[in-house]
Amino acid sequence: MGELDVSAGLASEIGRVFTAITAVVDAGRLRVFTKAIGDDNPLFTSVDAAVKAGYSNITIPPTYLFCLQFLAADDPFEFIHVLGIEADRILHAEQSFSYYAPVAVGDRLTFEPVLTHVEEKKGGALTFLTVTTRISDPNGHQVADSALVVAVRNR
Amino acid sequence: VHRVRNVPRRLSVGDRLFEKTFPPITRTTLALYAGASGDTNQIHLDADVARRAGFPDVFAQGMLVMAYLGSALTDAIEPHALRKFSARFKAITQLGAVLTCTGEIAEILRSEGETRARVTVGARDENGEVKLAGEAVVTIADVEQAP
């Protein structure tokens, strides 16, 4: 694919479904995360505190859904590779989450990412891609969704 | 049914919900976050890779900055009170940056049968440069209805 064709090619990929990922929330891995960011909130570290607050187990920080998906994926950058984009040309531009139900240690979640939007900006110098991920429990109930927007620097 | 506790009460537009400053960002911070988050993009870990991509050195993962913001947010509100959390990454966060995360009440609204607060959130460095700007929506209904 020629470099000038990248954006036009990407627009035709809207609706593309990437590999679904299943992850189980693990207390030890979560502790590595809370230590890395220096978060000692007992709701993220203590079963007793979390249960007293009404959770089934230790709950997760608001951005940890993103990590669960990355940690469990065989290729966390699958969408970039599938779309033929070089990794050093992308920057994370925006991230959003909507939360519908609490998530706790031991929960099993399925992540279903889809390319939902492609938009050129700055006269074609940048292409913005949105990958929206539905996050659901084993009964199929949606617990959250996330949207990742990356900016691709076109040359 | 899940019970929500410790959600903010008697909030008014313009109130400062939180302000929290984090330790300076080091190469170790970036390495620990990469391992913890699964984001192993080498541009945040290997200065050679960062230079080849046109950057002077490694820089922080955007999601590390959002994780700090989330941590400041959940110090102030109970995690399950959070309905939405979004951020735009405005500038690269360099090594040594001392980030301060803030949240202010922008609006009190009714939505989906709840009273909610829309909170303007952001992260800036020690020079005041905005690294991340966004908003959070939190429910405040349960507290208001409690005796």
Side-chain angles (χ1 to χ4, degrees), chain A residues 14-79:
Chain A
I14 291 173
R16 176 108 180 207
V17 174
F18 305 106
T19 306
I21 292 151
T22 297
V24 177
V25 183
D26 176 79
R29 271 195 144 162
L30 177 58
R31 192 72 192 103
V32 173
F33 175 87
T34 54
K35 279 185 180 170
I37 64 168
D39 192 334
D40 57 5
N41 188 330
L43 297 177
F44 307 141
T45 55
S46 159
V47 178
D48 285 350
V51 168
K52 272 184 195 147
Y55 297 90
S56 62
N57 202 328
I58 288 168
T59 191
I60 63 169
T63 64
Y64 195 64
L65 290 167
F66 186 89
C67 307
L68 287 169
Q69 185 176 5
F70 261 62
L71 287 164
D74 287 336
D75 178 6
F77 298 100
E78 180 197 16
F79 74 100

Side-chain angles (χ1 to χ4, degrees), chain A residues 39, chain B residues 17-22 66-77 100-103 122:
Chain A
D39 192 334
Chain B
L17 187 61
F18 61 86
E19 177 173 87
K20 186 176 182 183
T21 298
F22 291 85
M66 193 171 182
Y68 282 147
L69 184 54
S71 179
L73 183 59
T74 50
D75 280 356
I77 61 124
T100 296
C101 296
T102 56

Side-chain angles (χ1 to χ4, degrees), chain B residues 87-104:
Chain B
R88 277 167 285 118
F89 301 102
K90 310 286 279 183
I92 278 171
T93 301
Q94 309 290 2
L95 290 169
V98 176
L99 297 174
T100 296
C101 296
T102 56
E104 285 103 28

Side-chain angles (χ1 to χ4, degrees), chain B residues 17-18 73 103-107 117-121 134-138:
Chain B
L17 187 61
F18 61 86
L73 183 59
E104 285 103 28
I105 307 299
E107 186 185 4
R118 189 165 60 78
V119 186
T120 300
V121 296
E135 66 176 42
V137 176
V138 303

Side-chain angles (χ1 to χ4, degrees), chain A residues 32-33 36-37 39 41 43-44 52-55 59-60 62-64 66-67 70-71 76-77 87-88 91-99 101-102 153, chain B residues 2-3 5 22 29 32-33 35-41 53 55 59 63-64 66-68 70-71 74-75 78-80 82-89:
Chain A
V32 173
F33 175 87
I37 64 168
D39 192 334
N41 188 330
L43 297 177
F44 307 141
K52 272 184 195 147
Y55 297 90
T59 191
I60 63 169
T63 64
Y64 195 64
F66 186 89
C67 307
F70 261 62
L71 287 164
F77 298 100
D88 66 0
L91 284 174
H92 199 170
E94 299 177 27
Q95 181 67 39
S96 63
F97 301 93
S98 295
Y99 308 95
R153 294 181 290 162
Chain B
H2 184 83
R3 289 183 59 207
R5 299 187 192 177
F22 291 85
T29 316
L32 291 175
Y33 183 78
S37 69
D39 178 356
T40 53
N41 187 340
F55 298 96
F59 54 93
M63 288 305 290
L64 168 62
M66 193 171 182
Y68 282 147
S71 179
T74 50
D75 280 356
E78 207 263 354
H80 183 53
L82 194 54
R83 295 290 177 265
K84 292 180 183 175
F85 183 28
S86 62
R88 277 167 285 118
F89 301 102

Side-chain angles (χ1 to χ4, degrees), chain A residues 2-3 8 17 33 42 46 53 56 61 67 81 84 102 106 117 125 132 145 149:
Chain A
E3 283 172 357
V17 174
F33 175 87
S46 159
S56 62
C67 307
H81 299 142
H117 192 69
T132 303
D145 56 44
V149 181

